[in-house]
Amino acid sequence: MSAFTLESRTLFTYDESYYGYVPDRLPWHSAARLCNQRSGALASVSNPLEKQELTSFLKSLNISQPVWIARKVVTHLKSLAETQILEFAGRSDRKNARLLHVFPSMGSLTVCARLRFDPSCFGLSTVFSYSIQSHVNEFQLRASLNQSRPVQLALLVHGTHGPYYETFSHDGSWHSVCVSWSQNGGRWALFTDGAPVGRGDGLNDANAIGPGGLFIIGQEQRTFGGPFKRDESFSGSITQLNIWERVLNDSEIHTMEKQCSPISSGPVFKWSDEALEIESSLSLRKMTRDSRCLGDSRVSANPFLRSLLDESLLPYQNISFEVVQTPQAGWCETFDPGSGSLGSDTCDSSRGAVCQFEKDEPDAFGFPKTTFFNRLSKDPLAKPVMEEISVNASWDRDLPSVEHLTEALLRVVEAGGPDLLTSGDVLYLSQMMELVPASPATTGSTGSTRADVAEVMVSIATNYLKLASLILEPNMAAQWMGLTEDVSVGPFTVVESIDKLTETLADVISAEGRGFTLSTNNIDVHMEWRRLSQRGSRVFKPSAFGSRSSSSSLQDELLIPEAELHRLHTLGYEEVMFIHTYYSRLNEILTGAEQDPPPKTQKDVKSSISGHLATAVISATVRDPSKDKTIPVAVKYTLSSSHVVEYSQRVTPVCVFWNYSLMRGHANSWSNEGCRVTYTGSDVTSCLCNHTTNFAVLMNYLESTWSPEEEAILTKLTFIGSGASLCALVVTLMLFTVLDIPKSDRTSIHKNLFIALTCAQVALLCSGSAIHNKVACTLVAALLHLFFMAAFSWMLVEGLLLWSKVVTVNLSEDRHMKYYYLIGWGLPVLIVTITLASASGRYSADGHCWLSVQNGVIWGFAGPVIFIIMVNIMVLTRVVVITISTAKRRSIMLAMGASPMEQAYEQIRAAVKAVLVLLPILGLTWLCGVLVPFSIAMAYIFILLNSLQRPKQAVMNKQRIWSERQPAVSGQH
């Protein structure tokens, strides 16, 4: 069975059809048959507006490959009429046409015309200009023409220039253009081919358009009535320019484009050659036209059509054609959304297709004519209810009828059947339930008590919640999810109707101080009445009410803190209803329907959040039934994820809620505004939000740069290198203890550095066994943080000591060691303590015992390390300079007859030796870590340099450097 992706055909609500995309790759005849089975047909494209609508539809679904559409061939020409076209052949400072009309003062106006730009003309171009004696730039439409870019149009009012907007291709084809402006707020709009391109306000609303001016086509008026400027003149063709002394709405402009004739409701200027004063060098061509659009672009591409037409009139052809869908020669028509052009392919080829459907018209009962409602009308108990509801639109006067209808709806859905529901059915049902009485408790039926009304409302809610649970079954949701009539129809369409129904139910049953609980396969609902004078927080655990408690959902809960309830009490609220819903399987529905998100507007980009829904959806509403309103409160919630994070992936949880204001026309309406993560674990996430609604947790997965095999190799190399380094460090410490080495600052610093490195390596080797114990893993992470931080701190001390001995030549060792100890051990303890205190339970990362990258804790290590490396780079640079200088003097004294080449070699050797010896001891090999994400080779180099260094050799090399430096500074060490 082929799946459909449904979307409204246009932005106009009065349109009579909409598109549906067939993702299955089918031959043309199979695609056409499938569309027919769905009571539709393959989409047709017969004018530029339909081409633009189909392009927008496919691009919204990220479809870039050509798709099947209906084929069309010529049968006969339609009736012809006559029109006048102004031909501006090339730029000129003379060619223009003046409108012979006395214009009044206009607080608003609309100007529409059909035009084509000369494709060989570039730069600024003035379509028309209106000027008065006191202001030459009163009202003007300008174009910016650039090679390989669409035509850009902008409106100019009272000398104020509006923004340029890209419109249609600069290819010499005909297009319709409409511009409107109103003094009320300076509102303006720009339309091309019947569709809005740009609109705004604040465009010089100080005055109305002045009266008695000159309206000139094709030129900018540098002064009132001329002269003109050639470089900004118009080149191309213009016809059908009409002016209205009001703002035409979107519907009227769209209708003009479809009918290709101006609306008859009072234009202040109507196009005709008698109403024009034409400059002598400007030609006026009279030609026949039909009542529809100029310039079907497919005419010039079809040799048969070209043979019917006068070639000299192309590309201005204005003859339209009746069409039929008769295939010929085994070739079928395609539409390319990338270029917006028509094409063809062999009919046996496999492609996606676009179907076109008529909007469902209500049947005799006022319900849609669909399979589902046809089946509902045959239910013997539902038919009289449908008749009653079609007569009685005020449902709150007859709640029992609504109750019977929900019972019938539930029976039909429970009976099941193939392709039972469509997106239109679900949208209609959701909107229908939102109309269930706003305040039934106050408008109950005659003779009905409040308790009777409450019982009926409970029955209606129970039936609809059971119905919604069936609709939200993943296998059924796959049948109806999509877009219809420009409204996104998905699971949250149903959720929104449940929210409104439960609020209505809460207002009704609160009068009796009663609650409501219902558990279905996919939805759990719990309502509880409470006096705020009762102390304590409010906790909702779905597992305490639901019938299906999985091990993962046992941790799911929502809490309203006691402080929030106390705040409400102090604000004067006495009694409230807590409404909680829990949707356990929405993640299955949304994951199954996931695809690349459609392009968003700039406004939506800032609000909408992307990611994978990894949890259930939980909600909270605090309702004041006495005032029929919802009270905003802060909530805490915890949700578990059943998704297993792959070893090659990194995941970042995001606390979100469903923002209904973003929902229209978009599949993704998650927002994180007012929400933040308070705790993350391997399978659970806790959040805090400052409002109430439907909450969830999204997971953003980042694929690792390396494959699992490469990560396994790196892990093994790390532990092997750490073991070898640990052995070398232990041997070095033993030598320091056994050998009679003179005590000095240098020796003490080496010992402390090696002790820190030894402890860090031991903790690193133990980290693998602590992953599965949260407390042990946090302890190991803290020890690794402490000892690696201590190692770097002692490396900083090494750099400071080296600076004092080599640069400042301070040979005294009596007064600095206590400061070195403060830096080497005190600074790491302080940094680790501050990091632990500020991490608030999020110190270690998931999956390994190290600092968390997701919440920024890693900067408690990375920040100080970067600072230390920068300081030591400065030390190394200065030491290398001094070493080269010393080597140069030695080579002069010891080898008077040496050649300059040999002296340079000696200096280079000394510099390289100093760098190689000092790089590991100063921690500068960690600079390779910066390049690790860019190459697996850098990861291997980083591990080898930092794991397999020989501490004893480093000490010996460093002693040799100092012994070479001491004669130059006249001291013995």
Side-chain angles (χ1 to χ4, degrees):
M1 182 60 65
S2 295
F4 270 75
T5 302
L6 299 181
E7 180 167 308
S8 167
R9 171 176 176 154
T10 80
L11 298 175
F12 303 101
T13 58
Y14 51 81
D15 235 17
E16 299 174 354
S17 61
Y18 60 93
Y19 291 137
Y21 175 63
V22 183
D24 294 351
R25 297 178 63 82
L26 301 171
W28 186 91
H29 293 283
S30 298
R33 190 182 309 114
L34 182 60
C35 292
N36 292 333
Q37 291 172 354
R38 292 296 184 96
S39 302
L42 280 174
S44 61
V45 179
S46 58
N47 58 56
L49 179 60
E50 291 180 345
K51 185 183 296 184
Q52 180 179 343
E53 291 170 351
L54 184 55
T55 300
S56 300
F57 168 72
L58 292 171
K59 286 186 176 180
S60 72
L61 301 176
N62 287 341
I63 307 300
S64 58
Q65 298 300 316
V67 295
W68 291 127
I69 61 171
R71 289 184 300 176
K72 302 192 174 188
V73 298
V74 177
T75 57
H76 63 275
L77 300 177
K78 297 180 69 174
S79 59
L80 302 178
E82 189 175 76
T83 188
Q84 301 81 29
I85 298 179
L86 295 176
E87 300 285 2
F88 292 81
R91 290 185 182 271
S92 168
D93 59 1
R94 295 178 53 200
K95 295 176 183 177
N96 72 92
R98 174 185 168 187
L99 305 192
L100 299 177
H101 183 82
V102 179
F103 290 93
S105 176
M106 295 177 285
S108 59
L109 80 161
T110 302
V111 181
C112 294
R114 294 192 178 276
L115 53 83
R116 58 170 290 277
F117 289 95
D118 182 352
S120 63
C121 179
F122 303 100
L124 294 178
S125 179
T126 303
V127 180
F128 61 75
S129 63
Y130 177 77
S131 65
I132 57 179
Q133 290 283 358
S134 59
H135 208 300
V136 295
N137 291 321
E138 189 73 352
F139 193 77
Q140 188 178 133
L141 178 63
R142 297 169 64 84
S144 177
L145 309 176
N146 299 286
Q147 196 165 8
S148 303
R149 291 191 61 183
V151 173
Q152 295 178 310
L153 296 176
L155 188 61
L156 188 148
V157 180
H158 300 319
T160 301
H161 210 302
Y164 278 103
Y165 280 87
E166 291 189 347
T167 54
F168 40 79
S169 298
H170 185 29
D171 56 5
S173 57
W174 282 97
H175 296 276
S176 66
V177 175
C178 289
V179 292
S180 64
W181 175 86
S182 172
Q183 186 182 1
N184 182 17
R187 296 188 180 92
W188 61 273
L190 171 64
F191 295 79
T192 60
D193 298 322
V197 173
R199 63 175 80 235
D201 51 29
L203 185 57
N204 208 327
D205 57 357
N207 301 295
I209 302 297
L214 295 179
F215 195 109
I216 293 180
I217 302 174
Q219 296 286 357
E220 179 190 21
Q221 302 178 53
R222 302 177 65 184
T223 59
F224 183 68
F228 309 122
K229 188 176 180 180
R230 181 181 182 279
D231 292 342
E232 297 185 7
S233 62
F234 177 80
S235 178
S237 307
I238 296 180
T239 186
Q240 294 297 307
L241 188 146
N242 296 276
I243 304 174
W244 291 262
E245 194 181 345
R246 62 185 181 89
V247 173
L248 301 186
N249 59 40
D250 293 16
S251 172
E252 292 173 310
I253 294 175
H254 179 72
T255 301
M256 283 196 301
E257 179 65 21
K258 293 187 69 174
Q259 297 178 354
C260 293
S261 63
I263 60 174
S264 59
S265 54
V268 67
F269 174 84
K270 191 171 183 179
W271 181 259
S272 73
D273 56 349
E274 290 83 6
L276 297 174
E277 181 183 291
I278 303 174
E279 193 269 332
S280 58
S281 63
L282 178 63
S283 62
L284 176 68
R285 183 189 298 271
K286 293 186 178 182
M287 58 184 300
T288 56
R289 68 170 180 89
D290 73 331
S291 60
R292 297 182 62 81
C293 295
L294 292 169
D296 190 335
S297 61
R298 289 182 297 161
V299 171
S300 59
N302 191 313
F304 173 66
L305 299 184
R306 291 177 64 94
S307 67
L308 297 176
L309 302 173
D310 180 2
E311 293 288 339
S312 65
L313 301 182
L314 291 172
Y316 312 118
Q317 292 301 344
N318 51 15
I319 301 177
S320 63
F321 303 90
E322 295 292 341
V323 294
V324 295
Q325 298 185 1
T326 304
Q328 66 176 17
W331 288 82
C332 297
E333 192 155 9
T334 62
F335 181 79
D336 187 348
S339 61
S341 60
L342 301 171
S344 61
D345 196 0
T346 56
C347 297
D348 294 334
S349 301
S350 296
R351 294 185 177 278
V354 178
C355 298
Q356 193 166 347
F357 302 94
E358 297 298 319
K359 288 187 178 177
D360 296 326
E361 297 295 333
D363 60 11
F365 298 143
F367 293 89
K369 292 189 295 185
T370 62
T371 302
F372 175 76
F373 282 101
N374 287 338
R375 188 177 300 180
L376 180 67
S377 64
K378 296 176 183 178
D379 187 300
L381 297 179
K383 187 172 182 178
V385 177
M386 296 172 71
E387 292 175 346
E388 172 65 22
I389 290 177
S390 65
V391 174
N392 183 8
S394 183
W395 289 16
D396 55 335
R397 299 173 188 169
D398 195 7
L399 284 177
S401 295
V402 182
E403 179 185 12
H404 296 323
L405 179 61
T406 55
E407 291 174 355
L409 289 169
L410 182 59
R411 282 196 302 272
V412 172
V413 175
E414 285 177 337
D419 301 329
L420 179 63
L421 289 169
T422 67
S423 56
D425 295 333
V426 174
L427 179 63
Y428 186 90
L429 289 173
S430 301
Q431 294 174 341
M432 181 178 70
M433 294 313 299
E434 292 174 9
L435 297 177
V436 170
S439 55
T442 61
T443 61
S445 302
T446 304
S448 298
T449 65
R450 190 181 297 271
D452 294 335
V453 174
E455 287 300 326
V456 174
M457 282 299 301
V458 168
S459 178
I460 292 173
T462 300
N463 292 333
Y464 184 68
L465 288 169
K466 291 180 179 179
L467 173 65
S469 179
L470 294 173
I471 292 174
L472 294 179
E473 283 286 342
N475 57 344
M476 181 171 285
Q479 300 177 13
W480 56 261
M481 281 181 62
L483 291 163
T484 183
E485 301 188 15
D486 197 38
V487 177
S488 175
V489 182
F492 280 94
T493 305
V494 181
V495 170
E496 185 176 20
S497 65
I498 292 174
D499 288 347
K500 295 180 179 179
L501 181 61
T502 53
E503 288 176 2
T504 301
L505 176 61
D507 294 342
V508 174
I509 65 176
S510 63
E512 302 178 356
R514 61 183 286 189
F516 174 82
T517 300
L518 179 69
S519 179
T520 67
N521 192 41
N522 297 302
I523 307 171
D524 296 319
V525 178
H526 178 69
M527 301 184 190
E528 184 175 321
W529 177 85
R530 176 170 167 175
R531 293 184 184 275
L532 290 179
S533 56
Q534 301 174 9
R535 303 300 298 270
S537 59
R538 166 68 192 164
V539 180
F540 169 59
K541 287 188 71 71
S543 59
F545 304 99
S547 58
R548 337 144 307 285
S549 298
S550 64
S551 58
S552 60
S553 65
L554 291 175
Q555 302 179 74
D556 294 355
E557 69 174 24
L558 185 145
L559 179 143
I560 303 176
E562 181 179 0
E564 282 293 291
L565 300 181
H566 179 70
R567 180 180 64 84
L568 296 184
H569 193 220
T570 58
L571 291 175
Y573 296 101
E574 296 293 337
E575 300 172 353
V576 296
M577 282 289 289
F578 294 107
I579 308 173
H580 300 291
T581 52
Y582 181 77
Y583 304 91
S584 58
R585 302 176 69 187
L586 288 190
N587 57 335
E588 297 180 36
I589 299 175
L590 294 176
T591 301
E594 262 176 10
Q595 57 183 324
D596 292 335
K600 298 182 176 67
T601 64
Q602 293 181 354
K603 180 179 179 181
D604 293 337
V605 167
K606 298 178 181 178
S607 305
S608 182
I609 302 297
S610 62
H612 301 266
L613 179 61
T615 65
V617 175
I618 194 168
S619 78
T621 302
V622 180
R623 188 81 174 167
D624 181 4
S626 64
K627 300 179 181 178
D628 293 345
K629 74 173 186 177
T630 298
I631 311 168
V633 295
V635 300
K636 299 178 180 178
Y637 65 93
T638 299
L639 293 173
S640 55
S641 172
S642 59
H643 291 253
V644 177
V645 179
E646 298 292 338
Y647 182 75
S648 62
Q649 291 180 323
R650 301 294 180 262
V651 62
T652 301
V654 184
C655 298
V656 295
F657 69 95
W658 190 264
N659 189 342
Y660 290 112
S661 64
L662 301 177
M663 190 170 167
R664 185 175 176 83
H666 296 283
N668 177 27
S669 299
W670 292 112
S671 175
N672 65 346
E673 185 176 351
C675 296
R676 63 181 177 87
V677 177
T678 59
Y679 171 79
T680 58
S682 57
D683 60 349
V684 69
T685 302
S686 296
C687 305
L688 174 64
C689 293
N690 60 11
H691 51 78
T692 55
T693 183
N694 296 286
F695 303 106
V697 176
L698 300 184
M699 296 294 181
N700 287 322
Y701 293 98
L702 299 176
E703 288 290 341
S704 174
T705 308
W706 308 317
S707 65
E709 294 78 11
E710 290 173 333
E711 289 199 3
I713 293 173
L714 290 172
T715 302
K716 291 178 181 178
L717 284 177
T718 299
F719 279 92
I720 292 172
S722 296
S725 182
L726 179 61
C727 293
L729 288 166
V730 171
V731 170
T732 304
L733 287 173
M734 291 175 59
L735 291 175
F736 270 114
T737 305
V738 174
L739 298 178
D740 186 16
I741 299 176
K743 292 183 178 180
S744 63
D745 284 0
R746 180 181 57 195
T747 305
S748 299
I749 292 171
H750 290 339
K751 285 182 180 179
N752 283 278
L753 173 59
F754 296 152
I755 290 171
L757 286 172
T758 301
C759 294
Q761 297 291 3
V762 171
L764 180 61
L765 292 172
C766 296
S767 62
S769 58
I771 291 177
H772 303 292
N773 187 312
K774 185 65 177 179
V775 176
C777 192
T778 302
L779 177 61
V780 169
L783 291 175
L784 283 171
H785 188 190
L786 174 64
F787 290 122
F788 273 117
M789 196 70 254
F792 272 97
S793 297
W794 283 110
M795 291 175 190
L796 174 62
V797 172
E798 292 271 10
L800 296 176
L801 181 64
L802 189 59
W803 182 275
S804 67
K805 299 298 182 183
V806 178
V807 179
T808 61
V809 197
N810 181 7
L811 304 181
S812 173
E813 297 184 355
D814 297 331
R815 293 173 294 177
H816 299 295
M817 200 58 208
K818 57 183 178 181
Y819 300 112
Y820 293 158
Y821 275 109
L822 281 176
I823 296 173
W825 293 110
L827 183 61
V829 170
L830 178 63
I831 291 174
V832 172
T833 302
I834 293 175
T835 306
L836 274 170
S838 61
S840 62
R842 298 174 294 158
Y843 183 76
S844 61
D846 296 330
H848 52 279
C849 301
W850 181 233
L851 307 186
S852 175
V853 177
Q854 301 165 1
N855 50 27
V857 175
I858 188 65
W859 286 103
F861 175 76
V865 167
I866 291 173
F867 172 76
I868 291 171
I869 289 176
M870 293 299 103
V871 171
N872 282 351
I873 286 176
M874 182 181 67
V875 172
L876 177 63
T877 304
R878 185 62 178 151
V879 168
V880 168
V881 170
I882 294 176
T883 302
I884 293 175
S885 177
T886 303
K888 184 177 180 180
R889 290 197 298 269
R890 286 186 61 188
S891 64
I892 293 174
M893 290 186 296
L894 300 178
M896 299 296 292
S899 65
M901 183 68 69
E902 293 174 343
Q903 294 180 15
Y905 171 78
E906 178 64 23
Q907 296 170 28
I908 294 172
R909 188 188 68 83
V912 171
K913 181 180 178 182
V915 170
L916 293 178
V917 170
L918 293 178
L919 274 177
I921 208 70
L922 295 179
L924 300 184
T925 53
W926 279 69
L927 286 174
C928 296
V930 177
L931 302 177
V932 165
F934 301 101
S935 171
I936 187 68
M938 292 307 303
Y940 292 132
I941 294 172
F942 178 66
I943 290 174
L944 293 174
L945 288 178
N946 288 279
S947 297
L948 303 179
Q949 57 180 307
R950 306 290 184 181
K952 181 62 177 177
Q953 183 179 358
V955 172
M956 293 176 63
N957 288 339
K958 191 172 183 184
Q959 288 175 333
R960 190 175 300 117
I961 290 288
W962 281 339
S963 66
E964 292 175 353
R965 172 60 182 152
Q966 286 171 353
V969 297
S970 302
Q972 293 289 330
H973 184 63

